[in-house]
Amino acid sequence: MIARIAIPLLLVIVLSDVYIDAHYFRKRIRLSWQQRLAWWIPTIFLVIYTCVLASIRNFAPNNLTWLNTYLFLLGAFVGPKTIFGICSLIGWVVRKTIIRTRRNYGHYVGVAVSSVTLSAYMYGLTFGFSQIRVRHETLTVRNLPKSFDGYRIVHVSDLHVGTFNGWRKTILEDEMDSIKNAKADQIVFTGDLQNMRPEEILPFVPLLKSSMQGTIAVPGNHDYAEYVDLTPDEEREQVARFADIVRNKLGWTLLKNSHTTIRRGNDSIVIAGTENDGKPPFPQKADYRQTLKGVKPDAFVIMLQHDPSAWRRHILPQNLAQITLCGHTHGGQMQIFGFRPTQLREKNDYGIYRSGDHILNVTAGLGGFAPFRLNMPNEIVVITLKAETSK
């Protein structure tokens, strides 16, 4: 993870302090070299920390505390200094070229913006990540079998249970309570149960098994061996280990390019689930033909797929399902004035989308590899199916 962006990170860490040292400590405040050295010690520490994390062959260290601590230090110290430096530099340029004043008002803007950003970051790491939202959606659809009118599906995704070790386990417990209280006819899970390794799931098996009994699930990109450096045999073993835990320890139905039929009264619907169908660099393992093998053309199909980009790329053009349920994006884990970072990459990144008689729901999920949420809480989605009445 860090190795992919190590050079930009090192530049940001160092250049912000170079600017502050050159413009303030040498010219204005005139600190002694001992005082300036004391200022630089945290930066030197972060440079070493960055290099150590970048040298790890896996996506992240085995103990995520090291990564979370690093992310905390970046946000708490490097971020505010970088924002201040940028604002100060802009203010200096404006002062020299546009509005000639004695003061650089960029300093004051930088302090204000840095303070707000730091406060938002600390909130997102603590209270923001602790929030849970239950989003209710009523989906009126054509050709829904009558017996399924009013059928309640709880859509869960992106638990990333390895993030809930320690004090965060209480958050996961609250999330499980929300799922139980929804009193679903069916729970579905659309991928990313683990962060990197199946062993992360084991401490939470009793909690997940009691709260999400009967869940139908598909794997997400984190549920493969994509984030650890393994041999091909070790990769196959890890993927098999994940499937064994999900099926035999949790008791869930894991769909990997397959489907299952739900019957109610004299009617039935098909819940189909493919393996991850992502755009690079995410794995592309879906086989829709195999998934729907034996399904009648007039069947009512709910498709479970981790990556929402698959809806427009494959599911919608081939008319494969009336309803598609996805996760993956986490809703960007933050939203500011309606803007989410994931909107830059994914057209359908969060919420309900419709195209003709076809519906897509993308949930923000219940966790994250990085424990941060800002105005985009952890969520479960309670979907109530309604049959469209003829006019």
Side-chain angles (χ1 to χ4, degrees):
M1 178 181 179
I2 300 301
R4 299 176 182 180
I5 53 173
I7 293 177
L9 280 175
L10 289 171
L11 288 174
V12 169
I13 292 169
V14 173
L15 289 180
S16 58
D17 272 346
V18 168
Y19 177 84
I20 293 172
D21 184 75
H23 284 261
Y24 297 96
F25 295 163
R26 291 188 180 186
K27 295 181 179 179
R28 296 174 180 271
I29 304 177
R30 298 188 182 280
L31 298 181
S32 66
W33 70 268
Q34 295 93 338
Q35 293 171 317
R36 287 171 54 211
L37 178 61
W39 171 268
W40 274 94
I41 287 176
T43 301
I44 295 170
F45 171 75
L46 271 173
V47 168
I48 296 172
Y49 205 156
T50 303
C51 293
V52 171
L53 288 180
S55 67
I56 296 173
R57 297 174 67 181
N58 295 333
F59 184 73
N62 293 342
N63 187 345
L64 288 181
T65 300
W66 293 105
L67 178 62
N68 291 335
T69 301
Y70 177 76
L71 295 176
F72 168 77
L73 294 175
L74 282 182
F77 297 100
V78 177
K81 287 190 294 185
T82 302
I83 292 171
F84 174 81
I86 292 172
C87 292
S88 174
L89 180 61
I90 293 173
W92 180 83
V93 172
V94 170
R95 176 177 169 235
K96 291 293 184 180
T97 60
I98 301 176
I99 305 174
R100 299 188 177 276
T101 61
R102 294 180 60 186
R103 293 183 178 181
N104 181 348
Y105 289 99
H107 302 166
Y108 307 103
V109 174
V111 170
V113 175
S114 296
S115 300
V116 170
T117 303
L118 178 59
S119 299
Y121 185 68
M122 299 304 294
Y123 175 85
L125 288 173
T126 53
F127 297 105
F129 193 71
S130 302
Q131 289 184 330
I132 304 164
R133 171 172 57 197
V134 179
R135 174 161 61 93
H136 291 268
E137 300 286 356
T138 299
L139 302 184
T140 302
V141 289
R142 291 183 58 191
N143 302 323
L144 178 71
K146 291 182 180 180
S147 298
F148 286 88
D149 188 43
Y151 193 75
R152 288 164 62 89
I153 298 173
V154 168
H155 179 195
V156 184
S157 193
D158 298 271
L159 273 168
H160 293 272
V161 293
T163 303
F164 290 99
N165 285 314
W167 68 270
R168 296 190 189 92
K169 186 177 180 181
T170 58
I171 303 173
L172 183 62
E173 291 170 344
D174 290 342
E175 292 176 345
M176 293 301 107
D177 286 340
S178 296
I179 292 172
K180 287 189 289 187
N181 292 337
K183 297 181 175 10
D185 293 302
Q186 180 63 57
I187 302 172
V188 299
F189 181 77
T190 51
D192 279 5
L193 180 58
Q194 66 187 32
N195 278 328
M196 297 192 299
R197 299 171 180 82
E199 286 71 26
E200 300 168 19
I201 307 169
L202 296 177
F204 304 99
V205 164
L207 178 61
L208 295 176
K209 186 174 182 178
S210 63
S211 305
M212 298 178 64
Q213 191 173 21
T215 293
I216 300 173
V218 293
N221 55 289
H222 277 267
D223 297 326
Y224 298 95
E226 301 284 329
Y227 296 92
V228 286
D229 187 31
L230 301 173
T231 65
D233 288 342
E234 289 171 334
E235 287 183 10
R236 285 189 288 271
E237 182 181 351
Q238 176 162 302
V239 171
R241 174 71 168 151
F242 171 82
D244 176 69
I245 291 173
V246 172
R247 288 171 173 152
N248 299 321
K249 294 189 181 298
L250 293 180
W252 295 1
T253 298
L254 180 63
L255 300 179
K256 301 180 72 175
N257 295 329
S258 57
H259 67 270
T260 187
T261 301
I262 307 294
R263 302 188 185 280
R264 203 181 199 196
N266 296 322
D267 298 320
S268 65
I269 62 174
V270 172
I271 297 184
T274 66
E275 296 201 53
N276 196 77
D277 182 8
K279 295 185 291 187
F282 301 111
Q284 208 293 325
K285 298 176 180 289
D287 185 336
Y288 293 98
R289 179 176 295 180
Q290 178 64 32
T291 299
L292 296 174
K293 185 177 181 180
V295 175
K296 295 180 180 179
D298 61 345
F300 188 90
V301 177
I302 297 175
M303 181 72 72
L304 308 184
Q305 163 54 231
H306 181 63
D307 195 314
S309 67
W311 189 56
R312 290 194 179 276
R313 287 188 289 109
H314 293 131
I315 300 170
L316 196 58
Q318 299 179 57
N319 192 25
L320 298 177
Q322 287 87 340
I323 297 175
T324 302
L325 305 179
C326 300
H328 183 57
T329 66
H330 303 189
Q333 292 189 212
M334 63 183 296
Q335 182 173 235
I336 301 174
F337 302 116
F339 170 76
R340 299 179 295 273
T342 44
Q343 290 174 307
L344 297 174
R345 176 180 173 87
E346 179 56 51
K347 184 176 182 179
N348 306 121
D349 75 306
Y350 174 71
I352 295 290
Y353 300 90
R354 289 179 171 84
S355 178
D357 294 330
H358 304 278
I359 301 173
L360 166 69
N361 178 63
V362 185
T363 176
L366 277 176
F369 190 84
F372 176 87
R373 294 265 179 171
L374 181 63
N375 196 29
M376 183 52 67
N378 300 309
E379 74 166 15
I380 68 170
V381 186
V382 180
I383 297 172
T384 303
L385 301 181
K386 297 294 289 184
E388 184 178 84
T389 56
S390 56
K391 298 181 180 179

